[in-house]
Amino acid sequence: MQTVQPRSLPLRLPRVRPGGVLPILAILAVLLVLVGIRQPDFLAPPSLMSFLGRSAPIILLAAGQYFVIVSGEFDLSVGSLVTAQVVVAARLIDSDPARTWPVVLLLLAFGALVGLVNGLITTRLRVPSFITTLGMFLILVGAVYLWSDGAPKGGLSEEFRRFGRRAFEDVPLLGRVPYALMVLVVLAVAAVLLMRSDFGRTLVAVGDNPRTAELSGVRVWRTRTFAFILSGLAAAVAAILLGGYSGVSFQAGAGLEFGAITAVVLGGVALGGGRGAVVGAMLGALTLELLFALMNFYGVSGALRSTVQGGIILLAVAVSATRSSSR
Amino acid sequence: MRRSMAAIAAVTLLSLAACATDEPAAGPSGSASTAAGSGTGDQSKFFVQADYDAELGLLDAAPTGPADKPWEQVLNPTMVDTAKFKKNGPHKICFSNAALNNPWRQVGFKTMQAEVEAQKSRIKEFVHVDAEGKDQKQIADINDLLGKGCDALIVSPNTTATLTPAVEAACKAGLPVVVFDRGVNTKCPVTFINPIGGYGFGHVGAEFVSQKMKPGGKVLALRILPGVDVLETRWSAAKVAFDKAKVDVVGVEFTDGDPAKTKKIVDDYIQRYGTIDGVWMDAGAVAVAAVEAFQDAGKPVPPMNGEDQLDFLKIWKDKKLTAIAPTYPTYQWRTPIIAALRILDGQQVSNPWKLPQPTVTQDNLDQYLDPGMPPLHYAMCGCTDLPGYPQRWK
């Protein structure tokens, strides 16, 4: 949390302030209590571990989306990028285990490349990132359809799928720890460290006030482009985990961009940039998944999920708008 | 400034979210929360008792025709005269296809192309138009094909009601029209070709699941999408069987035929109810995803049905599942070509042309499981004697 503060400020007592993680922790705690009342089994280590493993992709996507949003942009292309990656992986691996690792590397490169293109079009050609990434979304959807004739082909190897499906078995206390959870923990730590580095401070400064950042010698375009690349990489990792979880699917990533954006605003990150923590964004994703789990336990139709996401986005923006006008 | 940016952002996101959502609108049988009592809801408007009785009767009927070519066999044939369509070849045959958007259709279309190749001395041109799963596009496609000098028109309709007028228009143009796979609400085509049909498929799966599970247990029903007759009748036959067996259908959900969505839905139900005692599905393409949901949750896989897709047959054998696979054979994609040529010869054909619909059971599983073919291939392709086998289907 200190990352958004100038280094010279003295340490303050924690209190609720814009961009802080306390509100989201409070919501998370309330949801945990509600889940605990309705379905106590859910909080036992095995099901909790599996829940965290299944939530890893959306948490990673939220972290990726955070980098872009805190720098003042949006990335609407991540969902279609995830789908494209899963379809590409299935076709290239074609059930041959020997191709697993080369394809994993290729997916990461592909994710970074899509991020780079998004970033350059947004920053160098000055196309608003809404339009850039919406265009990318449509391009990817169309390209996948063309390339595959409308139905997935090939198959993912078990080696590829283990990242999303398998776990370390017989771990003391926890039972089984999904590989996806381990991947998440490592990348979450990396994301936090990145936000504590000079790059992290620059990224927030760019989102807060690009003009000032520019004048103080920051190359705004380069910083923002890098944020898009991080988002593309996050989508690649999420695709590897999701493809592993569910197998070849034409809808692996459908709607994930909205999930990620909702998670980010729920985590107290300001749309428009410059405020909020990456931990908040990731906790926001976890909270959202827990909310969906709770809705499931109460038998609320899955169709209401997008409605809930929409409500959260509107509410979060309204709250932050009220705050910025009273600043 | 930032405030208005954020507001625009929110509005754009919401409208996009509305576009991107793939959740079906809550229909009469759309979700578990609306279902009460037996949990199966009202009977579909597609349900016709007479058709149901007829199809269930066909399950035991003896087919006429060559035993080694089920795609040329007919159940209870009723022949129609086609002398007025007699024409000298070679012919131009046109095909308006609903979509290629799932592995069943991909396998089927390759089989059809191979049949065309096998008959190339008699077919000078084969025109294929893919409607990409869109009714409006298919209506336009059929309309376009009417001006292209086709000698016969084959239609696999995207949805039943919406495509009916387009098929009627094609009949009026004087072309011999052959409809197959999914039906239309008109008798004007020369013949309608399909296997026994949805009632037979749905009934076989539901009977098996309700007999093999514990009495009164919880069943999850998974459907692809509403509004297609062959899928609607599958569910309505299953509904009859489940209501009769008094099982507790805890959910009827639409999966869009997508494994990711299916696995999530099944997982949600396992979490909500602790476990599920039976799974019925109207198409087997997502069967493996459902099996995996139980495996990953550490639960035994309950009695369930799939289809003749090889990935399901393989996991069935490997994991010793209690399973059955009613089929809707992809070999039916050969029949419209054969029928069109017979009609253009002025030979009588059966209308409707009902093909046999074998069921894969524990006893004959090994016979259909071919490890050399890809996981998304369908065992009942009837394609082993066609040009290009097996490479074309790989």
Side-chain angles (χ1 to χ4, degrees), chain B residues 255-342:
Chain B
T255 65
D256 290 348
D258 183 75
K261 213 171 153 183
T262 305
K263 195 162 178 184
K264 179 118 195 55
I265 289 170
V266 177
D267 202 49
D268 279 353
Y269 273 86
I270 295 172
Q271 285 194 34
R272 195 195 298 173
Y273 292 100
T275 189
I276 293 291
D277 307 305
V279 175
W280 175 91
M281 52 184 72
D282 70 355
V286 295
V288 171
V291 171
E292 284 181 1
F294 286 95
Q295 289 177 334
D296 292 5
K299 306 276 180 191
V301 183
M304 64 183 291
N305 79 280
E307 209 175 332
D308 56 327
Q309 204 171 23
L310 290 182
D311 60 350
F312 178 66
L313 300 187
K314 182 170 186 312
I315 204 167
W316 172 359
K317 185 176 162 93
D318 289 351
K319 303 293 171 193
K320 301 187 169 54
L321 304 183
T322 305
I324 199 166
T327 65
Y328 198 59
T330 41
Y331 61 58
Q332 68 181 293
W333 288 69
R334 295 184 69 165
T335 317
I337 301 292
I338 296 166
L341 291 175
R342 285 192 190 165

Side-chain angles (χ1 to χ4, degrees), chain B residues 92-139:
Chain B
K92 175 174 181 177
I93 293 183
C94 303
F95 172 39
S96 167
N97 190 359
L100 285 170
N101 57 8
N102 62 50
W104 186 88
R105 302 193 77 83
Q106 297 264 353
V107 170
F109 182 57
K110 282 178 188 146
T111 305
M112 182 184 258
Q113 284 174 307
E115 177 68 34
V116 169
E117 203 177 309
Q119 307 263 16
K120 63 183 170 218
S121 62
R122 307 207 44 214
I123 298 172
K124 69 167 188 275
E125 197 181 348
F126 175 65
V127 180
H128 168 246
V129 200
D130 175 9
E132 297 167 9
K134 299 183 189 96
D135 286 344
Q136 290 312 315
K137 181 167 187 316
Q138 192 167 25
I139 291 169

Side-chain angles (χ1 to χ4, degrees), chain B residues 38-164:
Chain B
S38 62
T40 53
D42 296 329
Q43 189 49 285
S44 159
K45 67 176 190 303
F46 283 82
F47 183 77
V48 179
Q49 185 70 43
D51 295 351
Y52 170 85
D53 295 339
E55 278 195 17
L56 264 47
L58 284 179
L59 285 172
D60 301 321
T64 56
D68 58 336
K69 293 179 176 171
W71 50 91
E72 289 187 26
Q73 290 185 325
V74 188
L75 299 167
N76 296 355
T78 42
M79 306 307 272
V80 292
D81 199 38
T82 64
K84 67 172 172 175
F85 296 114
K86 190 168 166 36
K87 200 170 179 183
N88 290 328
H91 304 290
K92 175 174 181 177
I93 293 183
C94 303
F95 172 39
S96 167
N97 190 359
L100 285 170
N101 57 8
N102 62 50
W104 186 88
R105 302 193 77 83
Q106 297 264 353
V107 170
F109 182 57
K110 282 178 188 146
T111 305
M112 182 184 258
Q113 284 174 307
E115 177 68 34
V116 169
E117 203 177 309
Q119 307 263 16
K120 63 183 170 218
S121 62
R122 307 207 44 214
I123 298 172
K124 69 167 188 275
E125 197 181 348
F126 175 65
V127 180
H128 168 246
V129 200
D130 175 9
E132 297 167 9
K134 299 183 189 96
D135 286 344
Q136 290 312 315
K137 181 167 187 316
Q138 192 167 25
I139 291 169
D141 287 347
I142 292 176
N143 201 28
D144 280 353
L145 286 173
L146 293 185
K148 294 256 166 74
C150 307
D151 295 314
L153 176 67
I154 298 169
V155 181
S156 173
N158 189 47
T159 59
T160 304
T162 317
L163 266 300
T164 298

Side-chain angles (χ1 to χ4, degrees), chain B residues 216-282:
Chain B
K218 295 184 281 289
V219 167
L220 174 60
L222 298 173
R223 307 181 55 191
I224 304 182
L225 74 175
V228 177
D229 60 355
V230 62
L231 301 178
E232 289 285 346
T233 50
R234 284 179 189 181
W235 167 236
S236 49
K239 193 186 127 52
V240 172
F242 286 139
D243 288 349
K244 204 163 73 188
K246 295 200 168 47
V247 300
D248 179 13
V249 179
V250 291
V252 186
E253 299 279 350
F254 290 106
T255 65
D256 290 348
D258 183 75
K261 213 171 153 183
T262 305
K263 195 162 178 184
K264 179 118 195 55
I265 289 170
V266 177
D267 202 49
D268 279 353
Y269 273 86
I270 295 172
Q271 285 194 34
R272 195 195 298 173
Y273 292 100
T275 189
I276 293 291
D277 307 305
V279 175
W280 175 91
M281 52 184 72
D282 70 355

Side-chain angles (χ1 to χ4, degrees), chain A residues 89-104:
Chain A
R91 184 119 182 225
L92 293 185
I93 291 178
D94 203 12
S95 307
D96 178 1
R99 298 191 195 153
T100 304
W101 282 103
V103 169
V104 165

